[in-house]
Amino acid sequence: MSVEQFTPTAELTAGAKIGFVSLGCPKNLVDSERILTQLRTEGYDIVNSYTNADMVIVNTCGFIDSAVQESLDAIGEALHENGKVIVTGCLGAKDDEIREVHPNVLAITGPHAYEEVMGHVHKYVPKPTATIPYENLVPDTGVKLTPRHYAYLKISEGCNHRCTFCIIPSMRGDLVSRPIGNVLDEAKRLANAGVKELLVISQDTSAYGVDVKHKLGFWDGKPVKTRMLELCEALGELGIWVRLHYVYPYPSVDDVIPLMAAGKILPYLDIPMQHANKRILKLMKRPGSAERTLERIRGWREVCPDLTIRSTFIVGFPGETEAEFEELLQFLRDAQLDRVGCFTYSDVDGAKANDLPDPVPEAVKQERYERFMQVQQEISAQRLQAKIGRTLDVLIDEVDAEGAIGRSYADAPEIDGLVYLNGEVNVKPGDKVSVLIEHADEYDLWGSLVAQ
């Protein structure tokens, strides 16, 4: 069962146990954390087995076909093992598609429908009576599904873009920015609770506050604009790692690079570029161009030489020619991106790109994917070789019998590389240590502790 266990802190009445399955991206994980926090606040016990649960909630992903199938399989497993299932999340926006496969689910809601989910929970598993006050069941930070030393900070919901390969706006709606005071309050609670790294997430981090015209909010008795720059300035005062994800390369990004150079926030940008060819970008309805993006990257690196850039790309988009794919490969060579993910295009039910002419054969998609990854692997290996001999701060994630495993400023959890400290067992998760880098391969680093 794919569920993180939240250890109970009180004896609860029978008939108040909820199983929980969380699938999908970090944004979905934050939704799961919020639902779990509300469940615990109301006194429900979260259990990690189907047999002990009075009901199971499955928070689904519905972005691509493989995610849809994984979600449907998880719902089916929960129904088979438990029988009482509520479905929420992105796939929940496709009620008919779920009920066609699983007609016996108790209820279905779309993403970030917290109150609606709780209403269904109350209907099928009445609120319990705890033996201690409910507020004592939940930490100040709420229930977290990440390790104690890092946490995701979601700053907005939805997206104003209409990329032709994406159906997120139809599931999560247009951009809705969280009040900046609320975001910073949450960030401060997390920092005070011992979180060492905040991962800022949204569908479009650069657009934070656009929907409210960057209105003035208040935090800690001071006026603060609802805008990415002011958000980063305030987060940079917390004294912990702050990492930006899902950033579009708008001119406004230029303003945060000096904060990275000054060590206020991590010199790390996650920018989903998707392609480099102008015609393909237009078909995708993506902003920007390869020439402007390359110029901006050069400018960023002049200000902050240590900047790490992560991106994702799609190969085999409908109509992509061999010449256009070669243009993408040349962009990789010119941009020298540090961390790159690649996906072959696949039809997503409801996406407008499905109707575009000249689909690329599956064999060609796969061949292009392999060529793409080969080029990027060589780039990554060269950039990591340049780190040998440097001393980097490393945040420890895991310690086992073979040693410690951590991440540098250039590595986001679960998607980027790792730093291995073979034989080092006298550290613990959450420790920040100095490491001399001694070896590198295409994706990871190895090193040894530097005496403090």
Side-chain angles (χ1 to χ4, degrees):
M1 183 178 182
S2 303
V3 63
E4 298 282 350
Q5 183 178 15
F6 181 79
T7 304
T9 55
E11 292 296 325
L12 303 173
T13 58
K17 295 179 172 61
I18 306 295
F20 202 101
V21 179
S22 183
L23 305 171
C25 66
K27 293 176 285 292
N28 221 38
L29 182 141
V30 172
D31 289 346
S32 294
E33 291 175 338
R34 182 163 176 179
I35 295 169
L36 287 166
T37 297
Q38 187 60 37
L39 287 167
R40 290 297 295 157
T41 299
E42 295 188 8
Y44 290 93
D45 193 3
I46 311 303
V47 296
N48 66 343
S49 71
Y50 293 117
T51 54
N52 292 335
D54 297 290
M55 185 178 66
V56 177
I57 300 173
V58 181
N59 191 9
T60 60
C61 179
F63 182 51
I64 57 177
D65 288 347
S66 59
V68 170
Q69 190 57 55
E70 181 185 18
S71 294
L72 290 173
D73 289 346
I75 296 167
E77 180 180 340
L79 282 169
H80 180 264
E81 297 293 334
N82 182 277
K84 296 176 68 176
V85 177
I86 289 176
V87 176
T88 188
C90 288
L91 187 59
K94 301 179 180 180
D95 186 296
D96 293 344
E97 185 172 334
I98 295 172
R99 291 199 181 277
E100 183 178 346
V101 181
H102 301 301
N104 295 326
V105 295
L106 297 176
I108 300 173
T109 78
H112 57 91
Y114 317 115
E115 293 182 3
E116 195 176 348
V117 170
M118 292 308 301
H120 291 309
V121 171
H122 297 156
K123 179 178 178 180
Y124 295 104
V125 183
K127 285 186 182 181
T129 302
T131 58
I132 61 175
Y134 294 155
E135 57 267 25
N136 293 340
L137 300 174
V138 184
D140 290 341
T141 57
V143 177
K144 292 296 174 187
L145 299 181
T146 51
R148 293 181 183 275
H149 59 281
Y150 70 81
Y152 293 101
L153 181 69
K154 186 157 69 168
I155 63 172
S156 64
E157 193 58 78
C159 183
N160 288 341
H161 294 291
R162 294 297 182 265
C163 303
T164 57
F165 56 82
C166 180
I167 58 173
I168 293 298
S170 67
M171 294 177 171
R172 291 184 172 263
D174 289 337
L175 175 73
V176 178
S177 299
R178 291 180 61 195
I180 192 162
N182 292 359
V183 173
L184 293 174
D185 281 343
E186 180 180 352
K188 188 173 183 179
R189 285 195 302 271
L190 290 166
N192 289 342
V195 166
K196 304 292 182 61
E197 177 182 10
L198 288 176
L199 300 108
V200 178
I201 60 170
S202 65
Q203 297 298 145
D204 181 358
T205 296
S206 311
Y208 178 62
V210 165
D211 55 312
V212 294
K213 299 181 180 179
H214 303 302
K215 78 173 186 179
L216 206 61
F218 288 88
W219 182 67
D220 216 14
K222 304 172 187 174
V224 187
K225 263 191 175 181
T226 309
R227 190 167 61 177
M228 182 173 69
L229 173 60
E230 283 78 2
L231 173 68
C232 290
E233 287 174 340
L235 292 175
E237 298 301 319
L238 295 177
I240 60 177
W241 281 8
V242 176
R243 189 183 301 277
L244 300 182
H245 287 277
Y246 313 111
V247 176
Y248 281 73
Y250 302 138
S252 60
V253 178
D254 299 353
D255 297 332
V256 305
I257 303 300
L259 295 177
M260 297 179 178
K264 296 292 188 180
I265 63 175
L266 291 181
Y268 180 100
L269 282 175
D270 173 11
I271 304 175
M273 298 176 190
Q274 308 302 2
H275 213 278
N277 173 263
K278 188 173 183 179
R279 188 183 77 88
I280 295 298
L281 286 170
K282 187 175 181 180
L283 289 175
M284 290 178 168
K285 290 195 174 179
R286 294 288 295 180
S289 71
E291 294 81 7
R292 286 199 298 272
T293 300
L294 285 172
E295 182 181 346
R296 188 153 285 134
I297 289 171
R298 284 192 287 269
W300 293 341
R301 285 176 170 157
E302 286 177 6
V303 175
C304 184
D306 274 342
L307 178 65
T308 289
I309 302 176
R310 151 169 263 285
S311 191
T312 51
F313 295 86
I314 297 173
V315 298
F317 191 79
E320 181 191 59
T321 65
E322 178 63 21
E324 290 166 337
F325 173 69
E326 285 289 347
E327 186 178 336
L328 173 58
L329 295 185
Q330 187 57 49
F331 174 83
L332 286 182
R333 298 184 185 103
D334 293 339
Q336 292 288 298
L337 304 177
D338 301 87
R339 303 294 193 186
V340 171
C342 181
F343 302 90
T344 58
Y345 175 80
S346 62
D347 288 347
V348 176
D349 188 25
K352 292 184 177 180
N354 300 343
D355 300 326
L356 292 173
D358 305 318
V360 177
E362 291 300 324
V364 175
K365 290 180 190 176
Q366 185 61 31
E367 186 263 347
R368 289 178 182 173
Y369 168 83
E370 291 169 2
R371 286 162 59 196
F372 178 101
M373 292 308 297
Q374 180 61 39
V375 169
Q376 181 54 38
Q377 190 177 71
E378 293 170 2
I379 293 170
S380 176
Q382 291 170 3
R383 294 189 70 80
L384 290 180
Q385 284 292 317
K387 294 186 178 182
I388 295 176
R390 291 185 58 185
T391 298
L392 301 177
D393 286 342
V394 171
L395 188 61
I396 301 299
D397 283 337
E398 180 183 348
V399 181
D400 58 24
E402 296 181 3
I405 303 171
R407 294 175 290 108
S408 74
Y409 75 90
D411 308 304
E414 299 186 356
I415 56 173
D416 291 332
L418 299 168
V419 180
Y420 291 93
L421 301 170
N422 292 343
E424 182 55 66
V425 295
N426 295 318
V427 292
K428 61 183 183 298
D431 284 351
K432 191 185 293 183
V433 297
S434 294
V435 175
L436 175 65
I437 303 302
E438 300 165 331
H439 175 69
D441 65 8
E442 296 86 353
Y443 301 111
D444 302 317
L445 299 170
W446 282 259
S448 56
L449 283 185
V450 175
Q452 298 298 303

